């Protein structure tokens, strides 16, 4: 059980880092350049910025590279460079796709969407990794449903805790 949890965290770490680091680096020019969609609402909103996207991805990739470096010493599964990049970038892509649909449904920036706000980045990370490195993805996730289940249960808990912390240190405007 503990081994499954540790393996799940290890495999998801690039995504677990890129997502909160986007909050740390966020600000400045929004990815949608301030433009509106046909419905008159913002395409993505001010909560998705280039600085967040790039800063978050770079931090996730750096962690993944460190993990690749250490994997001969750690018996928890090794990474490919593709997986490191798709886990980090895919997490933030999933978060942006979520914001796109949030805006279409009329939710304003920062509005709360339980579970979706917490699992968007997991979906994005898995999707992009499955597309670009299906072999790594099947070996590490598809072949072990317990890892998938563990990630789906643990992520909302981790997400809640990090965001409450981010709110108290005044990095985040909302505690979710
Ligand atoms: N952030 C960013 N760029 C990203 C993702 C996040 O700059 N690609 C920063 C923004 O400052 C954002 C904060 O991190 O306000 C929190 O991220 P998140 O909760 O994902 O966005 P929300 O502001 O809640 O916007 P949305 O309603 O679109 O989810
Ligand atoms: Mg939010």
């Amino acid at each position: 059980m503990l081994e499954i949890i540790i393996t799940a965290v290890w495999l998801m770490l690039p995504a677990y880092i890129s997502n909160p680091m986007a909050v740390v680096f966020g600000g400045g020019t929004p990815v949608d350049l301030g433009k509106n969609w046909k419905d008159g609402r913002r395409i993505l909103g001010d909560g998705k910025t280039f600085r967040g996207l790039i800063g978050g991805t770079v931090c996730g990739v750096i962690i993944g590279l460190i993990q690749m470096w250490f994997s001969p010493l750690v018996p928890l599964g090794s990474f490919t460079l593709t997986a490191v990049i798709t886990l980090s970038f895919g997490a933030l892509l999933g978060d942006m796709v979520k914001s796109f649909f949030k805006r279409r449904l009329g939710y304003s920036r920062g509005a709360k969407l339980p579970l979706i706000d917490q699992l968007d980045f997991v979906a994005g990370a898995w999707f992009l990794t499955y597309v670009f490195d299906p072999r790594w993805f099947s070996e590490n996730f598809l072949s072990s449903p317990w890892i998938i289940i563990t990630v789906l249960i643990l992520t909302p808990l981790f997400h809640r805790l990090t965001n409450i912390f981010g709110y108290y240190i005044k990095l985040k405007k909302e505690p979710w």
Side-chain angles (χ1 to χ4, degrees):
M1 165 104 169
L2 189 64
E3 199 187 321
I4 292 179
I5 293 177
I6 295 171
T7 307
V9 173
W10 172 260
L11 291 174
M12 289 304 288
L13 204 57
Y16 283 167
I17 295 297
S18 77
N19 199 54
M21 282 302 155
V23 185
V24 174
F25 286 96
T29 314
V31 175
D32 66 7
L33 303 171
K35 291 192 170 67
N36 288 346
W37 187 249
K38 295 168 228 159
D39 55 12
R41 296 177 193 277
R42 286 287 295 276
I43 303 176
L44 300 174
D46 283 330
K48 307 297 123 155
T49 67
F50 283 109
R51 258 168 42 195
L53 186 62
I54 295 164
T57 303
V58 169
C59 288
V61 170
I62 289 173
I63 289 297
L65 291 175
I66 295 172
Q67 287 178 282
M68 283 177 83
W69 179 265
F70 275 103
S71 45
L73 308 170
V74 187
L76 293 173
S78 54
F79 286 89
T80 62
L81 184 60
T82 309
V84 163
I85 296 169
T86 54
L87 286 170
S88 307
F89 184 69
L92 297 174
L93 196 67
D95 176 54
M96 288 198 296
V97 170
K98 184 268 320 262
S99 291
F100 177 79
F101 287 108
K102 231 171 148 177
R103 298 300 89 83
R104 302 294 69 75
L105 291 169
Y107 289 96
S108 55
R109 202 228 108 239
K112 194 177 183 176
L113 262 186
L115 276 179
I116 298 178
D117 273 331
Q118 284 120 48
L119 291 173
D120 54 1
F121 77 98
V122 172
W126 282 349
F127 175 76
L128 214 64
T129 306
Y130 173 71
V131 170
F132 286 98
D133 200 343
R135 213 184 104 158
W136 185 87
F137 189 73
S138 5
E139 277 171 9
N140 290 283
F141 287 103
L142 293 183
S143 63
S144 40
W146 282 111
I147 299 279
I148 295 191
I149 294 166
T150 307
V151 170
L152 293 178
I153 295 171
L154 279 186
T155 305
L157 294 174
F158 285 157
H159 193 274
R160 257 326 256 151
L161 293 175
T162 342
N163 284 358
I164 291 170
F165 175 72
Y167 177 73
Y168 277 107
I169 61 167
K170 298 192 165 30
L171 254 175
K172 261 201 126 245
K173 291 194 183 79
E174 305 85 13
W176 53 78

